[in-house]
């Protein structure tokens, strides 16, 4: 039985372990730690997948800024990183993390979520190419892998621009 729940104090070490195992390096684990201590951290939107008191997956949504061509700023969410322990991958745990995360995100104050990832995977959850909405990553990414989902209908109707990530993403 797998439970998806927000991270709580004491989970930090296991979240670090899951990320290092999934990515084979510690850059994402470090990113999570930096985000957790920053103003970009969104309470309740760092979620873990837990089985028998062991954390086997993790997903984080943090705050990014959509900067319009007129320099208006719209805070949105960025989904990153996401990880599942290698031995538990391809069993739908990532899907559960994304679905639960998006459901919770709908109740947040943020109107949209961006993600850099596999188009076939994220389109299952309603993500579309961000460029279709006139939204681009400020770091420049291949068009087909940068995706966006409106959490509030029509949220992006009157705004186009670039997404600026928290500075701690610069090293990733
Ligand atoms: C990406 C990841 C979290 C998916 O978790 P999961 O529990 O295996 O996901 P699910 O079982 O719900 O779905 C598996 C599907 O994810 C797809 N997928 C999505 N993103 C992927 C990625 N970055 N790498 C590999 N497969 C990915 C697979 O192709 C697979 O497709 P299928 O359903 O057609 O077989 C997991 O593979 C992982 O930890 N990968 C290493 C870390 C990583 O690359 N994270 C994503 C970037 S932040």
């Amino acid at each position: 039985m797998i439970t998806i729940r927000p991270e709580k104090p004491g989970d930090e070490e296991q979240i670090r372990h899951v990320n290092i195992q999934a990515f084979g390096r510690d850059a994402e684990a470090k990113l999570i730690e930096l985000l957790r201590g920053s103003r970009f951290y969104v309470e309740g939107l760092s979620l873990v997948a837990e089985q028998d008191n062991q954390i086997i997956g993790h997903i984080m949504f943090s705050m990014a800024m959509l900067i319009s061509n007129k320099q208006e700023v719209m805070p949105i969410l960025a989904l990153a990183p996401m990880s599942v322990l290698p031995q538990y991958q391809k069993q739908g745990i990532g899907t559960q993390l994304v679905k639960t995360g998006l459901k919770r995100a709908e109740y947040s104050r943020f109107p949209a979520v961006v993600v850099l990832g596999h188009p076939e995977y994220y389109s299952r959850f309603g993500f579309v190419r961000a460029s279709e909405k006139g939204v681009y990553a400020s770091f420049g990414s291949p068009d087909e892998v940068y995706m966006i989902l409106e959490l509030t209908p029509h949220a992006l109707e009157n705004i186009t621009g670039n997404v600026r990530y928290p500075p701690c993403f610069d090293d990733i």
Side-chain angles (χ1 to χ4, degrees):
M1 168 69 174
I2 290 161
T3 308
I4 310 291
R5 60 160 178 83
E7 75 161 73
K8 58 180 188 328
D11 288 340
E12 297 85 352
E13 251 331 292
Q14 285 196 73
I15 291 173
R16 182 178 165 74
H17 174 74
V18 169
N19 276 272
I20 291 174
Q21 294 301 312
F23 286 99
R25 59 179 197 175
D26 69 359
E28 288 74 16
K30 281 186 176 156
L31 172 65
I32 289 164
E33 279 151 21
L34 289 170
L35 284 169
R36 203 184 269 126
S38 79
R39 66 188 177 90
F40 303 101
Y41 183 71
V42 183
E43 201 68 48
L45 281 177
S46 172
L47 306 179
V48 297
E50 189 176 49
Q51 186 178 45
D52 299 330
N53 288 323
Q54 187 200 359
I55 292 176
I56 58 175
H58 174 255
I59 191 168
M60 185 175 252
F61 297 80
S62 60
M63 184 170 67
M65 299 293 175
L66 173 56
I67 317 273
S68 82
N69 305 329
K70 296 178 213 150
Q71 298 303 305
E72 295 150 337
V73 178
M74 177 190 269
I76 60 172
L77 291 170
L79 189 177
M82 165 159 86
S83 57
V84 171
L85 280 177
Q87 62 271 35
Y88 291 98
Q89 290 176 9
K90 302 244 177 201
Q91 297 171 33
I93 297 166
T95 299
Q96 286 190 54
L97 283 164
V98 175
K99 283 189 173 164
T100 306
L102 291 176
K103 212 170 278 168
R104 294 181 69 92
E106 276 175 26
Y107 294 100
S108 74
R109 63 195 167 95
F110 300 96
V113 186
V114 282
V115 68
L116 179 71
H118 287 224
E120 316 83 62
Y121 188 65
Y122 288 103
S123 58
R124 296 176 195 173
F125 309 107
F127 283 86
V128 298
R129 250 180 219 217
S131 62
E132 282 176 24
K133 303 281 182 186
V135 174
Y136 300 87
S138 54
F139 50 79
S141 83
D143 198 42
E144 65 279 9
V145 297
Y146 198 59
M147 307 187 77
I148 196 160
L149 172 70
E150 282 174 320
L151 297 168
T152 309
H154 314 296
L156 300 166
E157 232 165 50
N158 296 314
I159 185 163
T160 59
N162 293 327
V163 179
R164 188 181 302 158
Y165 283 72
C168 45
F169 274 87
D170 290 350
D171 297 332
I172 284 281

